[in-house]
Amino acid sequence: MADTARKPTPSANPDPARPGGDDAYAAMIARAEALLPRLRERAPRTEELRRLPPETERDLHDAGLFRILQPKRIGGSEFDYVALIDFADVIGRADASVAWNLVNLASHHWMLGMFEQPAQDLIWDKDVNALIASSFVFPAGRARKVDGGYRLKGRWPFSSGVDSSEWNMLAAIVASDDEADGIEYRIFLLPRSDYKIHDIWNASGLRGTGSNDVEVNDVFVADTMTLAVMDLTGGPTPGSAVNPGALYALPVFSLFPYVLSGVALGNAQACLDDYVGVARHRASTYNRAKLGDLQSTQIKVAEASAKIDAARMIMRTTCIDAMADARRGHIPEMPAKTRSRRDGAYSVNLCTEAVSLLFSASGARGLATSGALQRQFRDGHAINSHIAFSFDAAGTNYGRVALGLPSENLTL
């Protein structure tokens, strides 16, 4: 591998005494790295299937990767939040679609740890490996309060990995018909029998994520299977009684970009590594000059690697600092929360810029469908299209708060 590749450093995890320990973290990183050759080989099939191949899903289960943020008390790793960055960074170097589904589904074990214990027991007592999909598009669903729970309906887009999952976390707005009592943002946990999957995912990028629509038609959801967004703004949650660790006291939606941002990082790193590997040995088609001897090539390598290294530093530092805050019982105020959202979007934009730069520098070679570069380009821009990585949205809200105006993001 080229010198431009920076592997996640387990010792960078800030607390060696945390559940799992550094040896366990390094061992899990090694398991993830061992999967890369077969995931690269399967990447065309993953795109063709438009979802994870069964053998890939099994590999991720066998390696324990879906359980990196699951509570230690039920056999999970309960690694620090930065694990989402590090493991997406590793797996994303083989296939961004696989990395996307891995950290997306792994993060839902983390979020389940914040629900009341009956919800955790209902799922994990039956199967600790159960996968949970999601769609956090709140306006897509409507719920109304009834005795013992809620009635929920709606149709949600972008439920990545839904075909592999037995449960789904769906976000909705709770209100009466006339909204006279105001609205509430809430998350609902449903078994697969309560929703219908619409197979509509035909996308140019992240083709293998199976990010289909799901539909719910007036289903009852018990109180214990729901969670208010206001309980996820930092500090103790309904799940803290059984999961008292700092991981389950993080502010969920201010850190939301970092669930998936590491995918952009790994994809960009793979693009850089491939470009450097070719440029070291390839001669120009037109004058036979060695590409690595050209100043223009050297500058592009420097610029792309600087963007990727800066993105990695932003992502990891934000997650490590968030864990440090949670350990000391500090709940970030709104300026810090909007800064986290701003930096999450900005760091992914840096990765996208690096991929675009390298794709342009690769010339006609990058167009070959037999190569990985065209997929890395498509995936990089697909990642960047997620609303969490819109710098216009995140930057505007940061600027509002910095200028003394209220936040427009109701989840923070």
Side-chain angles (χ1 to χ4, degrees), residues 140-265:
R142 301 287 292 193
R144 58 186 174 85
K145 189 73 177 75
V146 296
D147 288 344
Y150 299 81
R151 304 295 303 190
L152 176 69
K153 63 181 178 180
R155 177 164 172 163
W156 290 260
F158 310 126
S159 190
S160 300
V162 66
D163 290 293
S164 302
S165 302
E166 293 302 317
W167 292 82
N168 211 314
M169 288 183 183
L170 299 173
I173 296 173
V174 179
S176 60
D177 290 338
D178 59 5
E179 297 187 0
D181 297 324
I183 64 172
E184 179 190 32
Y185 278 24
R186 187 168 280 270
I187 298 169
F188 298 83
L189 189 54
L190 279 71
R192 187 166 182 153
S193 58
D194 281 353
Y195 56 86
K196 178 181 179 181
I197 300 171
H198 293 277
D199 184 3
I200 54 86
W201 185 246
N202 291 284
S204 61
L206 295 174
R207 285 182 57 82
T209 60
S211 301
N212 288 310
D213 286 9
V214 295
E215 185 175 8
V216 174
N217 185 18
D218 195 28
V219 166
F220 174 77
V221 184
D223 282 324
T224 55
M225 302 300 286
T226 74
L227 188 59
V229 167
M230 287 300 297
D231 288 331
L232 301 175
T233 56
T237 66
S240 293
V242 289
N243 301 313
L247 180 64
Y248 308 102
L250 293 171
V252 170
F253 285 100
S254 65
L255 295 172
F256 184 65
Y258 305 94
V259 171
L260 298 167
S261 65
V263 182
L265 187 62

Side-chain angles (χ1 to χ4, degrees), residues 32 35-36 38-47 51-53 55-60 65-66 87-88 90-106 160-161 206-210 260 263 375 379 383:
L35 295 177
L36 299 189
R38 70 188 80 164
L39 296 180
R40 288 191 190 103
E41 184 179 349
R42 288 181 198 146
R45 181 165 177 260
T46 301
E47 286 209 309
R51 57 167 291 178
L52 291 185
E55 58 270 32
T56 294
E57 186 180 327
R58 176 47 49 200
D59 284 341
L60 298 174
L65 294 176
F66 285 123
F87 285 92
V90 171
I91 298 297
R93 300 180 196 192
D95 187 337
S97 287
V98 176
W100 183 276
N101 275 5
L102 167 63
V103 289
N104 185 52
L105 298 174
S160 300
L206 295 174
R207 285 182 57 82
T209 60
L260 298 167
V263 182
R375 174 171 51 81
D379 287 346
I383 296 164

Side-chain angles (χ1 to χ4, degrees), residues 8 20 25 44 69 74 155 162 185 191 206 255 291 301 306 336-337 351:
Y25 198 77
L69 297 189
I74 60 160
R155 177 164 172 163
V162 66
Y185 278 24
L206 295 174
L255 295 172
L291 292 180
V301 168
K337 290 180 176 181
C351 293

